[in-house]
């Protein structure tokens, strides 16, 4: 009877499998602990007939050795699997990568750019951090203009000897216009979209930065009445 039980356990142990360290520990407790299957066989060994003790003892020892070997193999396999998992690049993007959507502001800005480009305007983009020379001075802002005050403009660096060297967050995209006119002779027909910054109290109706689009049209025989044929098709 005991030999049949040992043969059954030998088959079980030979086919042991586990997916993690917790399952391996449960197997060790089932077969090798003080209350495990092999210990129970050792307790029954005293009731074995004398002429069978040698054969039964060898079988129990074989079972114990096999259980220890199998559990050690499972431990090694689990450690290798955990090390491989540690090498996984957690910074890699998940696959498959789902395509995102464009920001609503970018969608509207691109639509506006497309409309003006079809009317012959080209795109001009300049720095959001610029100097006073291009943001104010070259645009004929008076030295005491309120836009130059600290309460209206974000200054990053200020020069006590030369205000034209002050560095600030642009308060309009007109700085793009002053840079275009430095390097390009008329005719000029450009649009200047981008973010601008004003030292405003943030509320439901206002923010410290917003988006703006300006246009510059310089050519012979261009006057204010030419503005309407540009704005009306755009509005439509």
């Amino acid at each position: 009877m005991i030999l049949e039980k040992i043969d059954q356990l030998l088959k079980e142990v030979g086919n042991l499998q586990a997916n993690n360290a917790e399952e391996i520990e449960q197997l060790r407790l089932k077969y090798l602990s003080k209350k495990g299957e092999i210990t129970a066989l050792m307790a029954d060994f005293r009731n074995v007939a004398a002429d069978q003790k040698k054969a039964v003892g060898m079988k129990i020892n074989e079972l114990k050795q096999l259980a220890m070997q199998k559990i050690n193999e499972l431990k090694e396999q689990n450690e290798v699997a955990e090390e491989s998992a540690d090498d996984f690049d957690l910074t890699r993007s998940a696959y498959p990568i789902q395509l995102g959507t464009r920001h609503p502001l970018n969608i509207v800005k691109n639509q506006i750019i497309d409309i003006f480009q079809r009317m012959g305007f080209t795109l001009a983009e300049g720095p959001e951090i610029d100097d006073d020379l291009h943001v104010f001075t070259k645009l004929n802002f008076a030295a005491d203009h309120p836009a130059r005050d600290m309460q209206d403009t974000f200054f990053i660096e200020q020069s006590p000897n030369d205000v034209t060297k002050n560095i600030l967050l642009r308060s309009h995209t007109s700085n793009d216009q002053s840079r275009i006119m430095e390097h390009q002779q008329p005719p000029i027909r450009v649009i200047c979209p981008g973010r601008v910054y004003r030292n405003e109290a943030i509320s439901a109706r206002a923010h410290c930065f917003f988006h703006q689009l300006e246009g510059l049209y310089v050519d012979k025989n261009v006057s204010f009445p030419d503005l309407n044929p540009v704005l009306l098709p755009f509005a439509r």
Side-chain angles (χ1 to χ4, degrees):
M1 192 72 177
I2 191 170
L3 287 173
E4 293 178 0
K5 176 66 172 176
I6 295 172
D7 287 336
Q8 180 185 345
L9 291 174
L10 282 169
K11 291 179 181 180
E12 286 183 15
V13 172
N15 296 319
L16 289 182
Q17 292 183 351
N19 296 318
N20 51 55
E22 183 177 351
E23 292 182 3
I24 295 171
E25 179 61 15
Q26 291 299 320
L27 293 175
R28 187 192 69 79
L29 293 174
K30 179 179 179 180
Y31 293 102
L32 297 173
S33 67
K34 291 183 179 180
K35 295 183 180 181
E37 298 281 2
I38 297 176
T39 303
L41 289 174
M42 297 292 290
D44 292 339
F45 183 72
R46 67 172 68 94
N47 300 322
V48 175
D51 60 336
Q52 293 184 336
K53 281 187 180 293
K54 182 177 180 180
V56 172
M58 292 177 64
K59 279 283 190 178
I60 292 176
N61 187 58
E62 179 186 353
L63 175 61
K64 183 176 181 181
Q65 293 299 321
L66 180 62
M68 293 175 62
Q69 176 187 342
K70 195 67 179 179
I71 289 174
N72 287 333
E73 287 178 358
L74 291 173
K75 286 182 178 180
E76 291 177 2
Q77 292 172 5
N78 185 65
E79 289 174 358
V80 171
E82 287 182 349
E83 289 177 0
S84 299
D86 290 341
D87 294 336
F88 183 74
D89 184 5
L90 297 177
T91 64
R92 184 177 66 84
S93 298
Y95 184 84
I97 300 174
Q98 298 294 326
L99 295 179
T101 57
R102 294 190 180 277
H103 193 282
L105 286 174
N106 286 330
I107 293 174
V108 174
K109 184 184 77 170
N110 291 337
Q111 290 175 341
I112 293 173
I113 292 172
D114 179 64
I115 293 170
F116 277 101
Q117 284 182 331
R118 284 189 272 120
M119 290 191 287
F121 286 81
T122 58
L123 178 64
E125 294 181 297
E128 295 181 17
I129 301 175
D130 209 342
D131 53 36
D132 182 290
L133 180 66
H134 292 91
V135 176
F136 295 130
T137 304
K138 287 199 170 187
L139 297 169
N140 293 326
F141 278 75
D144 58 350
H145 193 283
R148 294 180 183 268
D149 294 339
M150 287 292 294
Q151 65 265 25
D152 288 328
T153 302
F154 289 108
F155 286 93
I156 299 174
E157 294 180 8
Q158 288 189 289
S159 173
N161 300 321
D162 187 355
V163 295
T164 63
K165 294 181 180 179
N166 289 343
I167 305 299
L168 56 131
L169 297 178
R170 66 182 182 184
S171 55
H172 43 231
T173 58
S174 303
N175 66 320
D176 298 349
Q177 300 182 29
S178 59
R179 289 182 175 277
I180 286 289
M181 289 186 285
E182 279 182 333
H183 305 291
Q184 181 177 332
Q185 293 296 319
I188 299 173
R189 187 186 290 192
V190 298
I191 52 171
C192 310
R195 290 181 295 192
V196 298
Y197 303 84
R198 307 268 176 93
N199 193 0
E200 303 280 356
I202 298 176
S203 68
R205 301 179 58 187
H207 204 279
C208 60
F209 81 87
F210 55 95
H211 292 75
Q212 185 182 71
L213 182 139
E214 296 185 14
L216 176 66
Y217 188 8
V218 182
D219 201 353
K220 293 180 179 179
N221 302 318
V222 173
S223 61
F224 191 78
D226 294 295
L227 181 63
N228 186 61
V230 172
L231 294 184
L232 187 58
F234 167 73
R236 284 174 176 170

